[in-house]
Amino acid sequence: MRRTKIKAMALGLLLAVSAVAAPIVTAQAYNPTGGVLYQLPAGTPCLKGLGNCVVYPKMAQVPGGRLVAAFEKATMVDYPAPDTIGGAVGQTMPIWKSDDFGTSWQHLTEVPPPAELSSDPAVDKYTSNWGSPYLYVLPQDIGNLKAGTLLLASLVTGEDEYYRERKAADPSWVPSNDGDRRDLAIALYSSTDEGVSWDFLNIIAKGGWQGGSAGATGTNVAQANTTRQVDPVWEPHLMVRNNRLVAFYSDENDYLGYNTTTGVPIIDPANDTAPDSHAQILAHKTWDGTSAAWSAPVVDVAGDTFSWNGGQQIGGGRPGMTTIAPTTDGRWLLTFEYWGGGSNVRYKVANDPMRFFADGDPNGLDIGQLPVDTGSRRLSTGGSPVIMTLPDGRIIYNAAGSGSIWMNDGSSTGTWTEYQTTVGAGYSRPLQYVEGTGRVAILSGTWGGATTTPVIRFGEVDLGHSNGAYQQIVNRKTGQVIGTGNNTNDANLGNGDVPDVRLEAAGSAGNPATQLWHVTAKPNNTVTLLNKSGGRAAGIWTGNATAGQRIGQWVDNSASGLWTVVPASDGYVRFRSTANTNLYLTGATAAGPLTLESSLTDGSQEWRLDQEPTPVVRIRNVNSNLCADVWNSSTANQAAVRQGTCHTGTNQQWTVEPVGSSYRLVNVNSGKCLEIPAFSKTPGTAAVQYTCNGGTNQLWTRTGEPGRTLTFRNVNSGQCLDVPNFSTASGTALTQFTCNGGANQRWLVG
């Protein structure tokens, strides 16, 4: 329903150029500059410094397509009379939604603290659902939790006793930094209705007092904190591994060391009574989805060892904010903050994400040591690093110190390329691949400053290989196509600060994607031209819309990259600059640069949009390494489609053909389409072939590109093409099943 609505809205922007010249325009709306998701109303009292009051946004996409976001909002909760001091008790976690793939956001609900959702007296002390949220969609069943369930891990607490004490003494007192909450813990919640309602599940990990950590360590300690402890747990990160849910987190409890075989940390017996070391480690726990308790913690990053209270402690340097991504070469990348000197962002690489403690440098390596592409700056630092693997295997990264995103080919040793975005630098800046557009949504939180306006901003970025049809743009005068000289990113980063959009002989590029473009609808009947290789826009390089200016690749962020499509003749069109309607996109010379010129009649300003050629491919399952096969080479309707040993026969050859923003999979032998019969929405329904008819049960949205791992989601049912039960047997029928990201739902196409 949502996809249909968005498609219709975007199609309303299509340009009625002429009956014979209508370029194929990307169907999904694109809002790279975004806007404000939430801004704290003026005068709202905070439980910490104003600039730190609204931070740590996170987001996830549920199977129906909705994006769900959560963030920390540390605002005072008003008590009923006669208690008018206010405090943390009753604080809730705000949940927001986007039903248009991140183009706009609306408030959805608030998640209460455990004390309000559970009758278990053991959680009565958790009266505030405070911060450090992490949202995660289960890719498979875990115990009693079903695939597709939306999980929220967040920091829950008791009262902020420092705030209460100061307010009681001076009602006009205004906090300038973190307070001192009691009974800190990480709670787990679940939602089965796309974030509308939530159940409290359990407590993942427990800490003690906040103690002003980390922004005001050792100063904002409440008198009620008689042992003056600073031992919170926070910053969770969820994933599934070995059929268990894994929660990574930061832990400020004091530890003497850890078992080098199991990784289990050794708690300091004086953790609750002796002066606090202010140290922190990274750890994880696992849960089977049925038992009452989580496993013992396991160290991921121990931090430096240092002397404290006559003994040794781990946790020096305060490693924090775990994020983890799998690589295409079978390894795992861990990024984290580290405040122990040098770069404040580090990384580790391990063969097993459950044993980071045993692999590589104990405290990781400087993120700035990772190799970068020519022209790209070193990976950003500044704290709050985020790393994630896209469905096609590429890995993306950002941190607080830059508005750019870095991307590599997916390997643990790959070179990183910088891509600019329109969302500026900000502390806690999560990234989310958006199935339905193939772009990446970005949120950004503010941090610091007594007068900073607390705000959560949103936007998105196209990093190439996104959803929709791509086209070659052919010049009438020269017969050549628009390319980029094999450059994939912003020309100021990857091409020596030289405008790089030019004419090239079709097929001459080492990277064929650099000669393919999205013609993407924008407001007011304009379009932008986005390159397939990196999602960069072809725009006026200097930004000055005057004759003779050259065209270069740039982040899609201004009128200099907007064009109006004007009909020419014989199916050709012209691209008129929106910034100066007297000037047109011009290719005057073969192998020459594209420029902006006044109107000409020599064909140099006339362009034909040719759809990207459809290759013949095999569709191979990542789990089984077997190929999609029309069994027995049948040409009959409703013939079974199974997985079989890969070969060169035409019954295993397919074309993946764009139909609007979706695709149909056509078997070369039979000429018929892969479909889910009778428009079934039942999980487990077997796929068949049938005469192509345009029905939504024959249309699929795909994540990724040929040659990379991808998934196929049926437009009618919303379920994914699946090999049931991870079968590796030849002859197993392909089915549809709830999308879960498993290897049995990922395919290599090529």
Side-chain angles (χ1 to χ4, degrees):
M1 291 295 293
R2 292 190 192 94
R3 290 193 180 89
T4 302
K5 181 178 180 181
I6 298 305
K7 180 178 177 181
M9 178 186 72
L11 289 176
L13 299 174
L14 294 182
L15 308 176
V17 175
S18 72
V20 294
I24 299 173
V25 181
T26 301
Q28 293 87 4
Y30 183 28
N31 188 14
T33 55
V36 173
L37 184 151
Y38 175 81
Q39 180 171 314
L40 188 72
T44 303
C46 293
L47 288 168
K48 57 198 299 187
L50 181 64
N52 306 338
C53 194
V54 178
V55 291
Y56 291 116
K58 290 292 187 292
M59 58 183 155
Q61 187 175 30
V62 297
R66 168 179 288 175
L67 291 173
V68 180
F71 54 91
E72 177 180 318
K73 186 176 67 173
T75 53
M76 185 186 79
V77 177
D78 291 325
Y79 290 112
D83 188 346
T84 59
I85 294 174
V89 174
Q91 184 178 343
T92 58
M93 176 68 63
I95 302 293
W96 286 60
K97 67 170 183 175
S98 174
D99 287 333
D100 54 11
F101 303 112
T103 299
S104 65
W105 290 85
Q106 301 81 38
H107 180 259
L108 180 59
T109 191
E110 301 282 325
V111 183
E116 295 185 27
L117 292 179
S118 174
S119 59
D120 182 357
V123 300
D124 284 349
K125 60 185 178 180
Y126 301 122
T127 55
S128 171
N129 191 2
W130 176 27
S132 295
Y134 191 83
L135 292 162
Y136 180 69
V137 177
L138 277 180
Q140 64 178 73
D141 292 355
I142 297 293
N144 297 324
L145 300 176
K146 299 299 182 183
T149 298
L150 177 62
L151 300 179
L152 167 69
S154 62
L155 180 60
V156 297
T157 78
E159 180 60 286
D160 185 334
E161 298 293 353
Y162 181 78
Y163 180 91
R164 296 267 286 156
E165 292 169 2
R166 290 297 302 267
K167 274 293 189 182
D170 178 7
S172 65
W173 174 78
V174 176
S176 61
N177 215 313
D178 287 318
D180 194 4
R181 295 174 183 242
R182 64 190 316 148
D183 300 319
L184 273 70
I186 299 173
L188 184 66
Y189 299 84
S190 67
S191 173
T192 57
D193 56 6
E194 300 188 325
V196 175
S197 61
W198 293 85
D199 294 318
F200 167 73
L201 295 177
N202 54 40
I203 296 296
I204 297 172
K206 298 178 182 179
W209 286 84
Q210 180 190 359
S213 182
T217 299
T219 58
N220 291 2
V221 179
Q223 292 301 313
N225 184 356
T226 56
T227 54
R228 305 189 69 77
Q229 293 302 296
V230 185
D231 46 12
V233 289
W234 42 23
E235 301 167 349
H237 176 96
L238 302 177
M239 63 177 279
V240 166
R241 179 72 171 173
N242 298 328
N243 296 312
R244 295 176 68 90
L245 182 63
V246 188
F248 297 85
Y249 60 97
S250 303
D251 187 345
E252 283 199 49
N253 287 293
D254 289 343
Y255 294 102
L256 302 179
Y258 63 95
N259 184 303
T260 57
T261 300
T262 64
V264 175
I266 303 167
I267 193 74
D268 185 344
N271 180 58
D272 295 330
T273 57
D276 201 284
S277 70
H278 307 298
Q280 179 172 281
I281 67 170
L282 297 183
H284 72 263
K285 291 184 173 185
T286 66
W287 182 50
D288 64 7
T290 59
S291 59
W294 288 68
S295 72
V298 173
V299 169
D300 296 304
V301 180
D304 294 324
T305 301
F306 61 99
S307 298
W308 185 259
N309 285 341
Q312 297 291 303
Q313 293 273 345
I314 58 174
R318 290 183 57 83
M321 299 190 96
T322 297
T323 58
I324 294 176
T327 70
T328 54
D329 53 349
R331 308 195 75 191
W332 296 80
L333 278 173
L334 163 66
T335 60
F336 57 99
E337 289 184 343
Y338 196 82
W339 303 100
S343 170
N344 51 29
V345 175
R346 292 189 178 185
Y347 76 97
K348 291 191 73 173
V349 182
N351 293 323
D352 184 348
M354 302 293 94
R355 293 182 59 81
F356 272 109
F357 71 90
D359 282 352
D361 186 281
N363 290 333
L365 301 172
D366 184 340
I367 199 78
Q369 296 180 14
L370 289 172
V372 294
D373 199 7
T374 302
S376 296
R377 293 164 288 198
R378 293 292 177 184
L379 277 69
S380 62
T381 57
S384 65
V386 171
I387 192 169
M388 67 171 295
T389 299
L390 300 177
D392 62 13
R394 296 176 294 169
I395 300 175
I396 56 177
Y397 165 91
N398 72 193
S402 172
S404 293
I405 288 173
W406 281 256
M407 180 167 61
N408 81 353
D409 64 359
S411 68
S412 62
T413 59
T415 299
W416 296 81
T417 301
E418 182 181 0
Y419 293 87
Q420 295 172 139
T421 80
T422 58
V423 181
Y427 196 79
S428 57
R429 192 167 173 269
L431 308 172
Q432 174 64 46
Y433 177 85
V434 180
E435 187 173 338
T437 69
R439 299 190 290 264
V440 173
I442 308 171
L443 299 180
S444 182
T446 53
W447 183 260
T451 60
T452 302
T453 300
V455 65
I456 304 293
R457 300 186 182 278
F458 71 93
E460 59 180 322
V461 63
D462 193 311
L463 294 172
H465 300 277
S466 55
N467 291 10
Y470 284 95
Q471 296 148 303
Q472 287 185 332
I473 304 178
V474 184
N475 182 259
R476 185 196 285 268
K477 179 180 179 181
T478 64
Q480 293 194 326
V481 301
I482 300 178
T484 69
N486 272 322
N487 293 303
T488 68
N489 62 332
D490 308 85
N492 66 314
L493 298 175
N495 194 24
D497 203 19
V498 175
D500 55 357
V501 180
R502 58 190 307 108
L503 287 177
E504 300 172 349
S508 64
N511 180 356
T514 61
Q515 292 186 347
L516 294 168
W517 302 82
H518 271 320
V519 182
T520 305
K522 288 296 190 74
N524 302 316
N525 286 340
T526 61
V527 300
T528 187
L529 307 179
L530 300 181
N531 192 259
K532 183 176 183 178
S533 66
R536 308 293 89 184
I540 306 164
W541 178 241
T542 63
N544 299 318
T546 57
Q549 296 293 332
R550 289 179 60 176
I551 308 301
Q553 287 189 99
W554 189 254
V555 62
D556 183 15
N557 70 342
S558 70
S560 64
L562 290 177
W563 310 90
T564 301
V565 181
V566 179
S569 60
D570 305 324
Y572 284 80
V573 299
R574 299 204 294 173
F575 293 102
R576 184 174 63 204
S577 171
T578 301
N580 185 338
T581 56
N582 294 315
L583 303 176
Y584 295 83
L585 185 66
T586 306
T589 307
L594 262 61
T595 59
L596 200 63
E597 307 292 349
S598 300
S599 182
L600 298 170
T601 59
D602 62 355
S604 62
Q605 294 176 343
E606 298 179 20
W607 307 90
R608 187 182 73 242
L609 279 67
D610 290 349
Q611 187 165 310
E612 177 182 5
T614 302
V616 174
V617 297
R618 291 187 302 185
I619 302 174
R620 179 160 54 90
N621 188 258
V622 170
N623 177 68
S624 67
N625 207 34
L626 302 177
C627 287
D629 182 302
V630 176
W631 213 242
N632 296 322
S633 298
S634 174
T635 59
N637 280 336
Q638 298 184 340
V641 180
R642 306 175 184 270
Q643 66 175 5
T645 302
C646 297
H647 55 69
T648 58
T650 55
N651 63 320
Q652 285 190 0
Q653 294 177 3
W654 303 81
T655 58
V656 183
E657 302 174 359
V659 180
S661 61
S662 305
Y663 296 85
R664 64 180 189 179
L665 281 59
V666 183
N667 187 258
V668 171
N669 178 66
S670 65
K672 295 182 175 178
C673 283
L674 181 73
E675 76 162 29
I676 301 300
F679 292 85
S680 173
K681 296 184 178 181
T682 303
T685 302
V688 299
Q689 70 172 5
Y690 200 84
T691 302
C692 298
N693 55 34
T696 55
N697 62 327
Q698 292 185 350
L699 296 180
W700 306 79
T701 58
R702 74 182 190 189
T703 297
E705 287 297 313
R708 305 176 188 267
T709 62
L710 57 91
T711 60
F712 290 104
R713 183 192 293 268
N714 189 262
V715 170
N716 174 67
S717 67
Q719 297 177 43
C720 285
L721 189 64
D722 176 286
V723 177
N725 301 315
F726 291 83
S727 172
T728 58
S730 180
T732 302
L734 306 189
T735 66
Q736 66 175 5
F737 200 78
T738 304
C739 298
N740 55 41
N744 61 324
Q745 291 186 353
R746 299 203 308 272
W747 306 83
L748 284 168
V749 176

